[in-house]
Amino acid sequence: MKRILQLVVTRWLARTPIGMVLLGLGWLFMRRRRARKQQPADSPALRRPGRRSGTPYAWRGPTTGDRR
């Protein structure tokens, strides 16, 4: 439901130049926020085998779905 609402709002804002500016600013702020939230690359937790990526954009591979 949240993704559908985001899509509708994004398409509505993308119609005007002011909306495009607002979308760009929102994208920039969210990108900075996500970068601050992540752990540093030297962290031992990131080197642990079998860990899953915390980012929703990471490729999970073909076996992540319904495994039986």
Side-chain angles (χ1 to χ4, degrees), residues 24-43:
L25 288 173
W27 175 80
L28 186 65
F29 287 133
M30 290 305 295
R31 185 174 173 213
R32 287 184 181 178
R33 187 181 195 189
R34 284 187 188 126
R36 263 189 269 126
K37 194 166 70 168
Q38 286 183 350
Q39 295 177 353
D42 297 335
S43 173

Side-chain angles (χ1 to χ4, degrees), residues 8-27:
V8 170
V9 170
T10 303
R11 286 186 52 107
W12 181 73
L13 283 174
R15 288 190 224 170
T16 63
I18 294 172
M20 290 296 285
V21 168
L22 290 174
L23 287 173
L25 288 173
W27 175 80

